[in-house]
Amino acid sequence: ALLATGAFRPARVLVPNVVPSVVTTLRSQGLCAWAGRVERFLEEPALRPLDLVYLDHTGAFPRRAWQLRAVFAHKLLAPGGIVACTFSTREAPQPVDVPWPAAVPAGW
């Protein structure tokens, strides 16, 4: 929806995907599609800053905290850019007596 409003330039929106045919389709729509795992993209220096980096994870935050750090360390965002993330876990619920901040890596 934000792309339709012109809030972001499609060529500066990162859309990683491991399926080559999906990447081809995304690129044909003018998006900055990365063919491969997002981890590899985040390890490489950015060719240009992006307006939006959306990390759609199917896992818990602590194991992926380095990815958020990498977005900023590698200067992947343009001024005013946005990082959006989703996290989930398929593991059993955490015990009630463990406060949430205990799961956050040091420095966050």
Side-chain angles (χ1 to χ4, degrees), residues 21-41:
S21 61
V22 171
V23 170
T24 299
T25 300
L26 293 168
R27 286 180 180 161
S28 72
Q29 296 174 17
L31 292 161
C32 177
W34 171 261
R37 298 187 54 82
V38 70
E39 293 88 348
R40 180 65 192 253
F41 182 90

Side-chain angles (χ1 to χ4, degrees), residues 37-46 66 70 74 76:
R37 298 187 54 82
V38 70
E39 293 88 348
R40 180 65 192 253
F41 182 90
L42 294 173
E43 292 168 350
E44 302 290 327
W66 74 268
H74 292 149
L76 294 178

Side-chain angles (χ1 to χ4, degrees), residues 41-104:
F41 182 90
L42 294 173
E43 292 168 350
E44 302 290 327
L47 298 176
R48 63 180 174 261
L50 300 165
D51 292 330
L52 173 65
V53 175
Y54 174 55
L55 302 172
D56 184 17
H57 291 296
T58 54
F61 172 76
R63 293 182 311 195
R64 291 167 178 83
W66 74 268
Q67 294 177 2
L68 290 174
R69 289 186 186 106
V71 168
F72 296 103
H74 292 149
K75 298 180 170 92
L76 294 178
L77 284 179
I82 294 175
V83 176
C85 305
T86 58
F87 295 97
S88 63
T89 181
R90 294 187 177 129
E91 299 168 6
Q94 294 294 319
V96 176
D97 61 341
V98 177
W100 178 81
V104 178

